[in-house]
C-alpha cells in the first residue's frame, strides 16, 4: 500500500508543471540547439544587430536555398506568412479557389482565406495520408488558381501527378513544406518540387528558429515579388516609395542566427529523426492493432512526426490511450482535425465527406519525435504503448 502511494506521489511530482499543467517526462517535440546557435545569437547581441537588418538573415537565406537546391530563399516571420506571401505573389485574390488537403495544419487553408480566396478540400490517400492526387482534377472549376501540396508529417506528396494536373489546367503548384525539411521525392528535396514552397521553423519543426518561415523558389520574378511584399512593398531602388501594399513579414536577425546554425547541422537533424523512426518501426513492428504512415519507395520521409493509427476494431479509444500515456510520462499528440470539420470551414465543405481523413484523425496519434531522443526514451515509449494496447491475435 505504502509503496503504491509513494510511487503515485513521485509520479505526481514529476508531472506537476509550473503552470499546473501536466509536464511529461518525454515531450512529443523539442528543438536541439547543439551547434553554433549560442555563438551566433551572442554575436547578434554583441553587434547590436537584433532586427531584420543583420547579416544572419542573408546567411540563413543563402544556406537554406542551397540546402533545398533552389535559387532563391526569402525568409519571413513564420510559416503561415510564408504561405500567405507565396499566394499573394502568385496572384491569388478574392473569388479564387485553391485546392488543399483537408488533413493538414489549419494554416494551409487560413493563408488562402487571408487572400479572400476559398480553400477547396480534398480527401487523403490511405497509405501516405497526403492529398489524394487522383481526386484533385474533379475539384477544378473555372475559378481554381492552384494546388497546395502539403507533405504531411514529412512524407512528400505525389508531386509528379499533381504537377501534370497543374500543367494541364494552368494552375500553380505550391508546396507547404512546413513539416518536410530534407524530405526527398525521387531524389529531390522538398522545396524544389513545385513552383514555390513555404517552410516553417517553429520551435517544434525539423529545423527550428523559434518562430520563422521561408519562401523558396527557382522563379526569379516570383522571388522578387515575395521580397517586395515582405518588406511593406517598398521599392528596393527608391526608399519610402511603395508601388504596392505589402506586409511587414520580415525575419529578425536572432532567429536567422539560430536558423543558420541549425542548417549547418541539417544532415545530423535529418538522420537522427530517421533513426528515431527506424527504432519505433523495430519496436512496434509486430505490435497488435497498430499501423503507421507508409514510406513510398520513391520517398524519403523526413519524419517530422512518427504517427500511428489504431486499427478500427480495437476497444481502446485514441483519446483514452493518449491520456494513459501521458500519465505514464509520454506526451503524444492527436492527428489534426480535418479542416472541413472546423467551424470556419464547415460550410465551405458543403457537407461533403472525407472518410479517409476522418478515420486518420479519429484514430491517429503522433509519438515523441525529435532529434534528441535516446534509445532508452524510445524503448520506454514503445513499451508503454504496447502495454496499453489489447493483446493481439497472434500473441
Ligand atoms: C507548422 C505548419 C505551418 C505554419 O507554420 P508556422 O511557422 O507555425 O506559422 C503551416 N503548414 C503546416 C503543414 C505546418 O505544419
Amino acid at each position: 500500500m505504502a509503496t503504491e502511494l509513494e510511487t503515485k506521489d513521485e509520479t505526481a511530482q514529476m508531472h506537476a508543471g509550473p503552470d499546473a499543467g501536466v509536464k511529461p517526462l518525454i515531450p512529443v517535440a523539442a528543438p536541439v540547439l547543439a551547434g553554433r546557435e549560442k555563438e551566433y545569437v551572442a554575436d547578434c547581441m554583441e553587434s547590436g544587430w537584433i532586427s531584420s537588418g543583420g547579416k544572419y538573415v542573408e546567411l540563413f537565406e543563402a544556406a537554406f536555398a542551397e540546402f533545398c537546391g533552389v535559387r532563391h530563399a526569402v525568409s519571413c516571420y513564420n510559416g503561415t506568412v510564408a504561405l500567405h506571401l507565396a499566394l499573394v505573389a502568385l496572384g491569388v485574390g478574392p473569388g479564387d479557389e485553391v485546392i488543399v488537403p483537408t488533413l493538414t495544419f489549419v494554416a494551409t487553408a487560413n493563408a488562402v482565406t487571408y487572400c479572400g480566396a476559398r480553400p477547396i478540400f480534398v480527401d487523403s490517400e490511405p497509405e501516405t495520408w497526403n492529398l489524394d492526387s487522383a481526386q484533385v482534377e474533379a475539384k477544378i472549376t473555372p475559378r481554381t488558381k492552384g494546388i497546395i501540396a502539403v507533405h504531411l508529417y514529412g512524407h512528400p506528396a505525389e508531386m509528379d501527378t499533381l504537377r501534370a494536373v497543374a500543367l494541364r489546367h494552368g494552375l500553380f503548384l505550391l508546396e507547404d513544406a512546413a513539416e518536410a525539411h530534407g524530405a526527398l521525392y525521387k531524389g529531390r528535396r522538398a522545396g524544389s518540387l513545385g513552383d514555390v514552397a513555404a517552410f516553417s521553423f517553429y520551435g517544434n519543426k525539423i529545423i527550428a528558429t523559434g518562430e520563422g518561415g521561408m519562401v523558396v523558389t527557382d522563379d526569379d520574378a516570383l522571388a522578387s515579388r515575395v521580397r517586395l511584399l515582405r518588406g511593406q512593398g517598398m521599392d528596393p531602388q527608391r526608399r519610402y516609395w511603395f508601388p504596392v501594399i505589402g506586409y511587414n513579414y520580415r525575419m529578425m536577425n536572432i532567429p536567422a542566427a539560430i536558423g543558420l546554425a541549425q542548417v549547418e547541422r541539417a544532415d545530423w537533424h535529418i538522420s537522427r529523426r530517421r533513426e528515431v523512426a527506424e527504432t519505433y518501426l523495430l519496436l512496434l513492428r509486430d505490435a497488435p492493432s497498430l499501423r503507421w504512415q507508409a514510406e513510398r519507395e520513391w520517398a524519403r520521409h523526413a519524419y517530422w512526426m512518427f504517427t500511428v493509427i489504431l486499427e478500427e476494431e480495437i476497444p481502446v479509444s485514441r483519446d483514452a490511450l493518449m491520456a494513459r500515456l501521458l500519465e505514464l510520462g509520454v506526451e503524444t499528440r492527436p492527428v489534426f482535425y480535418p479542416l472541413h470539420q472546423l467551424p470556419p470551414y464547415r460550410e465551405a465543405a458543403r457537407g461533403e465527406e472525407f472518410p479517409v481523413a476522418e478515420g486518420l484523425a479519429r484514430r491517429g496519434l503522433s509519438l515523441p519525435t525529435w532529434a534528441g531522443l535516446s534509445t532508452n526514451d524510445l524503448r520506454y515509449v514503445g513499451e508503454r504503448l504496447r502495454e496499453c494496447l489489447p493483446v493481439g491475435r497472434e500473441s
Side-chain angles (χ1 to χ4, degrees), residues 77-81 83 104-105 107-108 150 152 176 178-179 199-202 204-205 211-213 304 336:
Y77 201 77
N78 59 48
T80 306
V81 307
L83 287 166
T104 177
F105 182 58
T108 314
V150 182
L152 194 74
D176 182 342
E179 304 176 0
F199 283 89
S200 163
F201 307 112
Y202 183 65
N204 66 17
K205 299 289 162 86
E211 295 276 2
W304 175 53
F336 301 122

Side-chain angles (χ1 to χ4, degrees), residues 314-395:
I314 71 166
V316 177
S317 90
R318 188 269 314 270
D319 293 348
L321 174 64
M322 289 181 59
R324 180 68 192 127
L325 286 169
L326 191 59
E327 279 169 19
L328 295 166
V330 177
E331 186 190 28
T332 56
R333 79 167 71 183
V335 163
F336 301 122
Y337 287 102
L339 303 187
H340 70 270
Q341 294 181 334
L342 301 180
Y345 295 116
R346 218 180 283 157
E347 201 133 327
R350 298 198 201 93
E352 265 186 273
E353 281 176 21
F354 302 86
V356 179
E358 287 174 15
L360 294 166
R362 210 168 36 241
R363 301 192 317 275
L365 66 154
S366 300
L367 306 182
T369 316
W370 47 285
L373 289 165
S374 69
T375 309
N376 275 345
D377 293 334
L378 297 170
R379 203 172 291 137
Y380 183 82
V381 174
E383 281 166 9
R384 296 298 83 73
L385 175 57
R386 292 182 72 121
E387 283 166 16
C388 294
L389 294 172
V391 176
R393 294 161 288 268
E394 63 278 271
S395 43

Side-chain angles (χ1 to χ4, degrees), residues 262-281:
Q262 292 265 295
V263 176
E264 285 172 352
R265 293 188 5 115
D267 290 343
W268 179 85
H269 286 277
I270 291 162
S271 62
R272 271 301 296 144
R273 279 172 183 276
R274 278 203 74 84
E275 283 165 28
V276 166
E278 279 160 14
T279 306
Y280 277 137
L281 286 169

Side-chain angles (χ1 to χ4, degrees), residues 120-174:
I120 302 296
F121 299 117
V122 175
D123 201 2
S124 312
E125 187 266 301
E127 299 285 310
T128 68
W129 313 347
N130 281 314
L131 92 169
D132 189 341
S133 55
Q135 295 187 35
V136 168
E137 210 144 18
K139 303 270 174 155
I140 295 172
T141 76
R143 289 182 297 279
T144 310
K145 268 286 175 71
I147 303 166
I148 305 182
V150 182
H151 307 311
L152 194 74
Y153 297 129
H155 191 291
E158 197 8 309
M159 295 302 286
D160 282 349
T161 315
L162 293 172
R163 171 164 291 286
V165 173
L167 275 175
R168 215 160 30 244
H169 297 271
L171 309 177
F172 68 75
L173 180 56
L174 162 59

